[in-house]
Amino acid sequence: MQEEKHVCGQCIKEFKTEKEYLDHVCEKTGFSPTDPRHLGGEFKAISEAALKRGEERKSA
Amino acid sequence: MRYVDYQSCIRQRKIDRVCKAAVVEIDERNGAPAGTLTHNITNSNMGSIDTFNLDPVANPVIPGQNTYEKFQQIHVTSMGGSSKIDNLKVWRTGALGGAAIHLTNLRTTSYGGAVVYAQPVNTTSSLATQTMPTSLPGSSNLGISGSLGGSLTAPGWSDYDVEQIQTNAADIAGSTSTKNYQYDETA
């Protein structure tokens, strides 16, 4: 079995581990993958809608 | 830099939910196992090669043949201030070209459990056997840890969403459609 590799789909940089990927600052977005801004401007609305659905289910 | 920005949000007492929210991306695995996992892909184009973000013009499917399978996952890279991600739903909107069919392992009942990654093939998929939904499913159709009722309470991945498009010999044009993902997040 070959070793797993990780690639950032934005800047196409390769990493040996998931941690290395999560810790890098993407040259394309300017943010690390654990920062919501790495996902672009549309993610804010996606995230808010997901939170709204989750809270509605919790209180149902 | 991130630390400073978050502190700024708090100081202003205008805490944007995104400052505290989970960070969720779509990943795709390609190649021979264990494979290459590409994070935060920019499209789900399907064609005649096994790669992420592929160029469908340069790599079209020959009419009558199948695309290479896609193995994709929802990946939570950070929980932010949230406690749970669950209720994953995936569907396509928009028509396919000709008589092509879009198949997947996604299903809302009789879920087959978590698929083990295998090198994607363009022969008829033994994993993607269900019709891809074309509207929002009524309940979860992609599992976590092998169960549609599963949840993520820490960074991690969903099960694989395996897909393939199978074309007809008379299909001479491709198509563009939209892949939709939905999840619920509990603060």
Side-chain angles (χ1 to χ4, degrees):
Chain A
M1 182 179 281
Q2 296 179 5
E3 277 188 28
E4 183 181 51
K5 276 194 307 187
H6 294 261
V7 174
C8 174
Q10 302 295 313
C11 66
I12 318 299
K13 208 168 178 180
E14 289 189 12
F15 306 92
K16 286 184 179 170
T17 65
E18 185 204 0
K19 185 176 187 316
E20 286 180 13
Y21 163 72
L22 293 175
D23 288 345
H24 92 290
V25 175
C26 178
E27 291 172 8
K28 188 171 177 189
T29 67
F31 300 102
S32 77
T34 55
D35 188 316
R37 292 170 294 183
H38 180 61
L39 297 172
E42 290 180 355
F43 183 68
K44 181 178 176 183
I46 292 167
S47 182
E48 286 173 345
L51 279 161
K52 185 167 180 276
R53 283 190 298 273
E55 292 307 309
E56 284 172 355
R57 281 177 59 214
K58 191 166 77 173
S59 58
Chain B
M1 176 64 87
R2 191 171 73 234
Y3 174 79
V4 171
D5 286 347
Y6 280 18
Q7 289 302 303
S8 172
C9 281
I10 293 166
R11 268 201 305 274
Q12 291 171 18
R13 294 176 182 270
K14 289 168 66 180
I15 302 176
D16 186 330
R17 295 296 297 189
V18 172
C19 288
K20 297 175 66 182
V23 182
V24 182
E25 63 178 26
I26 308 300
D27 296 354
E28 179 175 322
R29 192 177 295 270
N30 304 97
T36 297
L37 184 65
T38 302
H39 298 257
N40 197 13
I41 56 174
T42 58
N43 66 61
S44 188
N45 292 340
M46 301 175 78
S48 57
I49 58 170
D50 168 29
T51 191
F52 66 96
N53 296 351
L54 73 80
D55 178 352
V57 175
N59 303 282
V61 184
I62 296 170
Q65 295 190 3
N66 309 317
T67 68
Y68 271 85
E69 294 169 320
K70 288 286 185 194
F71 283 74
Q72 297 177 342
Q73 293 168 290
I74 292 176
H75 180 197
V76 178
T77 63
S78 167
M79 289 301 291
S82 291
S83 61
K84 186 171 73 172
I85 299 288
D86 68 351
N87 202 23
L88 308 181
K89 299 178 181 180
V90 183
W91 72 104
R92 186 196 83 244
T93 45
L96 300 178
I101 54 174
H102 187 181
L103 299 171
T104 178
N105 66 322
L106 303 172
R107 50 200 299 173
T108 56
T109 57
S110 303
Y111 184 63
V115 165
V116 175
Y117 178 74
Q119 185 161 4
V121 298
N122 67 347
T123 52
T124 300
S125 176
S126 61
L127 300 170
T129 59
Q130 307 296 307
T131 301
M132 185 73 174
T134 52
S135 60
L136 174 67
S139 58
S140 175
N141 65 347
L142 174 61
I144 295 169
S145 300
S147 169
L148 294 175
S151 63
L152 286 168
T153 56
W157 285 268
S158 71
D159 298 343
Y160 284 109
D161 160 20
V162 184
E163 298 179 22
Q164 183 180 63
I165 291 178
Q166 299 175 358
T167 71
N168 186 288
D171 298 341
I172 55 169
S175 61
T176 302
S177 52
T178 302
K179 182 110 170 266
N180 305 275
Y181 302 86
Q182 183 174 296
Y183 60 93
D184 291 0
E185 180 171 348
T186 306

